[in-house]
Amino acid sequence: CGAPSALDELGQFWLEPKPLPEGCVAVAEAAIGTGRFTAGDVWQRLRVLLESGQLGAARSAIAWLPAREAPVERQFTFAATQPQKFLAALPKTLEARAQREMAMFAAMRLARSDPRAVAASLEGQLGQLLPVAERRYLWGRVAYEASRALLPEGADWYERAGDAPLSDEQLAWKVRSALRAGRWPPVIEAIDRMSVSGHQDPAWSYWYARALSATGKPDGARAYLLRISGRPNFYGVLAAEELGEAFAVPQPFSQPGAEELAGARATPGLARALELYRVKLRSEATREWAFTVRNLDDAHLLAAAELARGAELFDRAINTADKTVSTHNFRLRYLAPFSEVFRTHARAHDIEEAWLLGLTRQESRFIVNAKSVAGAQGLMQLMPATARWVAGKIGLADFRPARVIEPETNITLGARYLKLVLSDLGHPLLASAAYNAGPGRARRWRGVTPLEGAIYAETIPFNETRDYVKKVMANTVYYSALLGGAHQPLKARLGIIPAKAAGERFNEELP
């Protein structure tokens, strides 16, 4: 927040859910001292911070309120640490803003773990004490938390929020809760309210189109599907299918010539990266590679990708080929190293080779010695406990933890585990979710009624797993086409996910 545009810069950070940059604090204090920022502005920032759990930054903001308007520390701590007791001990009125904001803060804290309790409070004393606007604001927060927990009431509670301002994230979960409830009009309404940047997500173009079609507006639906049709991703494939377009992998598979490959080898940044990979400085090498290819045109990208493939840097080959705009090589984008090993184990376990490759591409980009922060290892990113369990299950002789990064061993264990999960859950979409987040979660994320597979995927509450599942399933379509198998549309692959049922029996052994 440096002069002369300090106040403008402060405005950019003021409603961000995080502490102000150090240089902005003095500017904020000056703006408050001169009346440029009012107590109302401070409360606005406070609410954003409290929504996101930024309690330290919230305490700093409270200090900028006039003493007569600020909540006392004891009240703040009580609302933060014992929100249910705070709401149970509400006074007879909430006339002072500090009282109302602390009551809403307590409700937001409790909604994260028990949105139904907060809904009951809103239908009772808390709802009676709050003005309409603040009551609707809280319904928006409760609906958001309920929808993220996949509670069926979430869709109804969003309706009770009325015209309360909702963030793009809240609106996204309003869409998802409406999809799970089978209600198309709220899908249209929520997407209409998103920001320009929110609208750019292909997911919302696809679901907006589906909602228009379901409400009798096929021409509008077609226009939205055409926006994303043909993009090489989950919703691009689904949009093309809705339009009735035949699926085909983009061709030709453009190959760099000898001169272009020689140019790639002579590129200093690529040469440095290859040398860093050779001496096993992977992090430094990857940064060097990414920096070098960031502004290359398609021809040079494909040459760099082919150079990486030749060096068996399969992740660099895939990621670099993925960047091309108009000239492509989808065989480089969807490399299939160790194909004989994958094919053998796919056949042995009666699972689709394309799915096995699609999952591995997403797990490791075929880096043999890949290791995640959580400790998962190898091509199929097996956790040590899972590897030991599967090795014991299949009686793998001579198994040692160090062998997990060997391609043959890793694929043997990973393919067998994937088959066990598939047999238990009965659907590749559920099994993909389970491979990333665990079988228990994949089961819990099903609906109280059967769900279209695309809706199940879109409403997975973990961002990482939601993105992972979409990419695995889209990868599978591309690998299937490249392997020459009979084409099965993505929507058909996603199918219908059965509802939860009482008394279901599952393999509780699965890690």
Side-chain angles (χ1 to χ4, degrees):
C1 283
S5 58
L7 203 57
D8 289 339
E9 288 186 45
L10 173 62
Q12 295 173 20
F13 294 110
W14 188 249
L15 296 182
E16 289 289 313
K18 56 189 177 184
L20 291 175
E22 188 175 343
C24 286
V25 174
V27 178
E29 289 174 348
I32 291 164
T34 59
R36 295 288 299 276
F37 273 24
T38 66
D41 294 318
V42 176
W43 278 117
Q44 193 178 16
R45 173 165 171 76
L46 253 175
R47 194 175 284 185
V48 169
L49 294 170
L50 295 175
E51 284 176 2
S52 57
Q54 294 283 337
L55 302 192
R59 281 188 165 93
S60 298
I62 286 173
W64 292 332
L65 289 168
R68 66 183 181 280
E69 293 187 36
V72 297
E73 174 61 28
R74 180 178 58 81
Q75 236 187 344
F76 183 88
T77 302
F78 187 24
T81 59
Q82 299 182 72
Q84 193 156 17
K85 289 185 177 180
F86 188 103
L87 293 176
L90 288 174
K92 291 183 178 179
T93 65
L94 292 175
E95 292 180 3
R97 179 154 191 180
Q99 290 179 309
R100 292 197 305 277
E101 294 287 348
M102 288 303 97
M104 289 192 291
F105 171 42
M108 286 189 287
R109 295 286 282 185
L110 181 57
R112 293 183 178 187
S113 58
D114 193 353
R116 285 178 172 138
V118 180
S121 185
L122 278 170
E123 288 169 344
Q125 185 187 13
L126 179 60
Q128 294 167 7
L129 294 175
L130 290 175
V132 171
E134 291 170 339
R135 186 165 63 246
R136 287 179 174 175
Y137 164 81
L138 266 188
W139 275 119
R141 297 303 307 174
V142 173
Y144 169 66
E145 299 294 354
S147 297
R148 290 176 67 224
L150 304 185
L151 298 182
E153 300 98 320
D156 292 329
W157 293 343
Y158 265 119
E159 295 306 311
R160 300 188 71 164
D163 60 356
L166 300 175
S167 68
D168 279 350
E169 178 70 3
Q170 286 175 287
L171 290 167
W173 277 103
K174 181 172 183 176
V175 174
R176 294 180 182 124
S177 66
L179 290 172
R180 288 178 75 93
R183 302 178 188 175
W184 293 108
V187 170
I188 295 171
E189 184 267 338
I191 296 173
D192 277 338
R193 291 175 62 184
M194 288 181 181
S195 67
V196 173
S197 59
H199 272 284
Q200 292 173 351
D201 189 329
W204 309 137
S205 289
Y206 176 78
W207 290 115
Y208 197 84
R210 288 284 306 276
L212 288 175
S213 180
T215 54
K217 302 177 183 67
D219 292 340
R222 180 176 176 79
Y224 275 88
L225 291 171
L226 286 169
R227 287 185 179 186
I228 59 171
S229 173
R231 295 187 192 180
N233 57 40
F234 183 81
Y235 281 116
V237 174
L238 284 176
E241 290 177 0
E242 290 291 329
L243 289 167
E245 298 173 359
F247 177 82
V249 177
Q251 293 194 33
F253 303 133
S254 299
Q255 286 289 124
E259 186 177 336
E260 290 160 323
L261 275 173
R265 289 191 192 95
T267 300
L270 299 182
R272 283 194 297 271
L274 289 174
E275 181 61 19
L276 288 166
Y277 280 119
R278 190 186 69 78
V279 297
K280 303 190 185 312
L281 294 173
R282 172 166 278 279
S283 295
E284 294 83 351
T286 300
R287 284 197 295 271
E288 183 72 39
W289 187 282
F291 182 82
T292 302
V293 304
R294 73 194 189 286
N295 293 322
L296 296 183
D297 62 22
D298 286 356
H300 289 92
L301 284 170
L302 290 174
E306 181 59 33
L307 181 67
R309 187 201 62 77
E312 297 190 352
L313 298 169
F314 303 121
D315 63 315
R316 291 303 92 205
I318 290 169
N319 287 10
T320 305
D322 255 345
K323 293 177 177 293
T324 58
V325 177
S326 57
T327 305
H328 309 296
N329 185 330
F330 271 66
R331 289 199 185 281
L332 278 173
R333 287 194 184 199
Y334 292 90
L335 281 175
F338 316 106
S339 57
E340 286 302 319
V341 183
F342 280 110
R343 185 170 299 119
T344 297
H345 288 284
R347 290 173 176 169
H349 299 305
D350 191 26
I351 55 179
E352 187 182 8
E353 182 185 353
W355 181 42
L356 191 58
L357 287 167
L359 185 140
T360 306
R361 182 185 191 269
Q362 195 55 34
E363 285 288 345
S364 68
R365 289 291 197 268
F366 302 101
I367 300 172
V368 170
N369 60 351
K371 186 171 183 178
S372 74
V373 175
Q377 293 180 285
L379 291 168
M380 294 191 68
Q381 288 291 276
L382 293 165
M383 293 296 289
T386 302
R388 283 195 304 273
W389 182 81
V390 178
K393 193 85 173 168
I394 65 176
L396 185 64
D398 224 15
F399 174 74
R400 301 182 309 280
R403 293 187 59 198
V404 173
I405 63 169
E406 297 172 1
E408 176 77 41
T409 301
N410 193 273
I411 297 168
T412 297
L413 297 174
R416 177 60 174 159
Y417 178 66
L418 190 57
K419 174 62 175 181
L420 288 168
V421 173
L422 178 62
S423 298
D424 187 46
L425 299 180
H427 197 296
L429 179 59
L430 289 174
S432 299
Y435 200 92
N436 181 265
R441 291 192 181 102
R443 294 182 202 117
R444 289 195 297 274
W445 294 337
R446 293 172 302 159
V448 294
T449 59
L451 288 176
E452 183 183 327
I455 292 176
Y456 175 91
E458 182 53 52
T459 59
I460 289 172
F462 291 2
N463 293 345
E464 177 194 323
T465 306
R466 183 167 62 251
D467 183 62
Y468 172 91
V469 166
K470 291 177 188 176
K471 287 179 176 174
V472 167
M473 299 308 294
N475 289 349
T476 302
V477 173
Y478 282 98
Y479 274 116
S480 177
L482 289 166
L483 292 171
H487 176 64
Q488 183 183 14
L490 177 55
K491 192 170 182 178
R493 288 178 177 278
L494 299 173
I496 300 295
I497 303 300
K500 301 173 188 177
E504 287 179 296
R505 298 182 66 81
F506 295 101
N507 183 356
E508 298 299 336
E509 282 188 283
L510 283 172

